[in-house]
């Protein structure tokens, strides 16, 4: 495990994205999958990284592997977010970049329970509202800060089978748009990562829905992290590691009924296969 002193040799170098490295960065849900890959990429570039996850063993192992600082805990509840922000500030001095990456996919169809809906709102949406409340005032005062949310293509389009996931991912993109529109003139950069399939545990757990996620070929978490790293250099709001999502998103906007008809055709195909 490293600390600020051990990483001091890289502070101030130029990063691959053209931005100065050595920033204080927090990545939530970094014990596995996408969060782990993003944290690894950032640490390799010389950023000072705090990794968080509910799974304490996993996040401690990641921290030891990449030279980051582990803060296990819940990155969704009000107290969990406050504890994480406090511990990260204590370690980093200041938080320059927040990767709100932790996310869940609970519940299927109209059978999704009240608990599935409540937990999905909490982790996929309210976690970001709670973090932004604590981070943005400091960034506005400094005139600089960056909030990156791992949303999903499901938040721009939809994900068949999972209304909890689709709805909450739409909601978090709505919140990110609001943040960007409100604070960009004060130096706050907001970015939303919207991938389709990425080969992680969440992808494995999707079962028969994997075919949908992998329709345009799933990425590895490392490929995803590389495209996120590149996007940090140009501040674009939508980070689309699967570029075809931009075309789907445009079609949805301009030919909404044709797009919904296409999605329903996919639904019928999946029903015939017994996947839904
Ligand atoms: N895998 C995909 O195909 C895919 C596609 C689009 C978007 N995403 C999004 O990417 C993000 C990461 O997903 P992943 O695929 O790496 O999944 P994953 O399940 O491999 O990893 C998610 C991590 O988040 C942690 N976590 C969950 N709730 C938490 C909480 N409240 N506090 C702290 N940590 C918590 C989990 O313990 C886990 O380690 C999610 O927001 C997900 O919705 C994934």
């Amino acid at each position: 495990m490293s600390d600020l002193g051990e990483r001091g040799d890289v502070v101030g170098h130029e990063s691959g994205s053209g931005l100065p490295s050595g920033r204080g960065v927090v990545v939530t849900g970094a014990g596995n999958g996408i969060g782990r890959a993003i944290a690894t990429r950032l640490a390799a570039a010389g950023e000072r990284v705090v990794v968080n996850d509910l799974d304490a063993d996993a996040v401690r192992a990641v921290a030891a592997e990449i030279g980051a600082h582990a803060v296990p805990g819940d990155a969704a509840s009000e107290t969990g977010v406050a504890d994480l922000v406090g511990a990260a500030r204590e370690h980093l001095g200041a938080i320059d970049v927040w990767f709100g990456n932790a996310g869940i996919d609970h519940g299927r169809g109209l059978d999704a329970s009240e608990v599935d809906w409540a937990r999905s709102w909490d982790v996929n949406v309210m976690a970001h509202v709670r973090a932004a409340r604590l981070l943005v005032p400091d960034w506005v005062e400094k005139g600089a800060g960056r909030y990156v949310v791992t949303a999903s293509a499901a938040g721009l389009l939809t994900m068949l089978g999972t209304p909890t996931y689709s709805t909450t991912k739409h909601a978090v993109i709505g919140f990110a748009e609001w943040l960007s529109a409100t604070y960009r003139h004060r130096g706050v950069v907001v970015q939303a990562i919207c991938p389709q399939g990425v080969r992680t545990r969440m992808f494995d757990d999707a079962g028969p829905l994997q075919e949908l996620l992998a329709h345009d070929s799933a990425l590895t978490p490392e490929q995803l992290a590389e495209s996120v790293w590149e996007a940090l250099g140009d501040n674009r709001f939508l980070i689309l590691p699967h570029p075809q999502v931009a075309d789907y998103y445009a079609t949805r906007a301009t030919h909404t009924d044709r797009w919904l008809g296409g999605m329903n055709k996919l639904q019928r195909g999946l029903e015939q296969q017994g996947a839904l």
Side-chain angles (χ1 to χ4, degrees), residues 26-212:
V26 177
V27 185
T28 73
N32 292 286
I34 292 172
R36 176 193 172 138
I38 289 173
T40 302
R41 183 66 184 85
L42 295 169
E47 311 292 9
R48 296 173 297 117
V49 182
V50 166
V51 283
N52 152 272
D53 204 287
L54 269 181
D55 183 338
D57 290 343
V59 80
R60 287 200 181 103
V62 170
E65 191 183 307
I66 69 173
H69 180 70
V71 181
D74 181 9
S77 69
E78 208 173 351
T79 51
V81 174
D83 289 349
L84 174 57
V85 168
R89 281 192 175 133
E90 200 176 315
H91 181 76
L92 297 167
I95 298 167
D96 301 308
V97 187
W98 184 275
F99 280 86
N101 167 78
I104 56 170
D105 173 20
H106 287 187
R108 290 288 178 265
L110 289 176
D111 292 332
S113 67
E114 290 288 330
V115 172
D116 291 330
W117 277 102
R119 192 66 188 141
S120 300
W121 276 110
D122 220 36
V123 181
N124 294 349
V125 185
M126 291 309 295
H128 302 283
V129 177
R130 291 164 184 151
R133 264 190 211 129
L134 298 176
L135 296 166
V136 171
D138 186 43
W139 291 344
V140 166
E141 200 178 313
K142 281 195 307 198
R146 184 181 298 263
Y147 197 104
V148 188
V149 54
T150 309
S152 169
L156 297 174
L157 308 167
T158 200
M159 176 71 189
L160 294 174
T162 66
T164 37
Y165 191 76
S166 299
T167 306
T168 55
K169 291 295 186 178
H170 273 267
V172 77
I173 291 174
F175 179 64
E177 283 178 352
W178 179 86
L179 268 185
S180 180
T182 307
Y183 293 106
R184 67 167 50 206
H185 68 301
R186 300 190 185 278
V188 179
V189 176
V190 183
Q191 298 180 287
I193 311 169
C194 298
Q196 289 188 298
V198 185
R199 296 190 183 281
T200 66
R201 197 176 55 177
M202 185 182 281
F203 181 86
D204 293 341
D205 290 347
L209 294 176
Q210 273 178 23
E211 196 192 323
L212 262 184

Side-chain angles (χ1 to χ4, degrees), residues 160 211-212 215 260-273 276:
L160 294 174
E211 196 192 323
L212 262 184
H215 182 64
L260 281 171
M263 289 303 289
N264 183 246
K265 193 173 165 193
L266 268 178
Q267 167 79 22
R268 281 178 278 148
L270 288 166
E271 284 176 12
Q272 274 165 13
Q273 291 166 31
L276 280 176

